Amino acid sequence: MNSTLIEKLKQRRTQYALGRNLSLDKEAITSLIKEAIRHTPSSFNAQTSRAVILFGKQSEQFWELTKQELKKIVPAEAFANTAAKLDGFAAGVGTVLFYEDQSVVKGLQEQFALYADNFPIWSEQGSGMAQFAVWLALTEAGVGASLQHYNPVTDEATRQEWNVPASWKLRAQMPFGSHEGGFGEKAFMDDAQRFIIKG
Ligand SMILES: Cc1cc2nc3c(=O)[nH]c(=O)nc-3n(C[C@H](O)[C@H](O)[C@H](O)COP(=O)(O)O)c2cc1C
């Protein structure tokens, strides 16, 4: 069966070579990201996912802050590689910072004690879904992206810079921009080891 959705799923790849040659403007990209997150399911429809969407100089500033934080902990001889990687993310059009609002998670735990242990897990799963929805929406729009995890080293500096609420926990970063290179090789495991189908 042909499925345009499956074709999009296949098109979504990790793009590290980002540039600024996009025809989409900031408003269009913002709208895509907001809609993708708005329509992502969440446990109890609690909508715990939050996002900070940074463009241009603001995105560059995020990666600069991350660089400064990493410089404190990455061995000097390894830092040049790290810095070059971050410069690559900063070379794009923008970065989405994905958060989960812990005050909502805590409220749910108090309200529904029976599921208390599950809410943090469901929040993480919801965040992953939101990240994937945004990644797919960007893919369809011809925008390249990757998924990064510089939390928690960058959390505090970022919180201060953009006045992010204390209850928002940073979970992932998605730098995006134009596709300026190919994708890495990708291997797939055997279906036989992955799926059990009966009946
Ligand atoms: C939960 C999760 C965490 C990931 N973390 C990182 C990361 O920190 N840095 C990175 O470069 N890629 C990260 N990736 C991207 C994966 O490495 C990538 O999706 C995988 O190798 C398959 O390649 P593809 O995205 O091109 O299909 C992450 C992906 C997932 C789903």
Side-chain angles (χ1 to χ4, degrees), residues 169-191:
K169 187 175 177 188
L170 183 60
R171 306 314 298 133
Q173 306 83 46
M174 186 172 287
F176 60 86
S178 52
H179 290 283
E180 300 296 334
F183 304 119
E185 288 290 311
K186 185 173 174 179
F188 294 92
M189 64 185 290
D190 281 349
D191 278 3

Side-chain angles (χ1 to χ4, degrees), residues 33-34 36-38 40 48-54 62 95-102 123-124 126-136 138 145-149 151 155 158 164 168-176:
I33 295 167
K34 284 165 75 173
I37 294 176
R38 197 192 321 276
T40 296
T48 47
S49 295
R50 306 283 181 267
V52 172
I53 307 169
L54 302 171
F62 171 77
T95 304
V96 188
L97 309 182
F98 290 91
Y99 292 83
E100 286 291 297
D101 191 338
Q102 301 306 303
S123 158
E124 292 295 304
S127 179
M129 289 195 191
Q131 293 161 34
F132 187 52
V134 169
W135 205 345
L136 262 190
L138 293 175
S146 74
L147 188 60
Q148 302 302 320
H149 295 89
N151 45 293
D155 291 30
T158 306
V164 179
W168 293 19
K169 187 175 177 188
L170 183 60
R171 306 314 298 133
Q173 306 83 46
M174 186 172 287
F176 60 86

Side-chain angles (χ1 to χ4, degrees), residues 90-128:
V93 166
T95 304
V96 188
L97 309 182
F98 290 91
Y99 292 83
E100 286 291 297
D101 191 338
Q102 301 306 303
S103 67
V104 181
V105 176
K106 194 162 169 281
L108 287 164
Q109 288 179 302
E110 286 162 6
Q111 201 182 342
F112 303 101
L114 190 61
Y115 301 116
D117 292 346
N118 283 321
F119 286 117
I121 297 166
W122 288 337
S123 158
E124 292 295 304
Q125 292 174 348
S127 179

Side-chain angles (χ1 to χ4, degrees), residues 45-93:
N45 195 31
Q47 300 165 66
T48 47
S49 295
R50 306 283 181 267
V52 172
I53 307 169
L54 302 171
F55 288 92
K57 291 263 174 272
Q58 299 289 305
S59 175
E60 286 176 24
Q61 175 65 356
F62 171 77
W63 293 108
E64 182 55 37
L65 287 173
T66 304
K67 203 189 275 184
Q68 286 168 19
E69 293 303 317
L70 285 173
K71 198 166 190 178
K72 297 174 191 168
I73 54 172
V74 173
E77 64 275 15
F79 187 69
N81 275 346
T82 301
K85 215 169 150 190
L86 300 190
D87 288 345
F89 302 140
V93 166

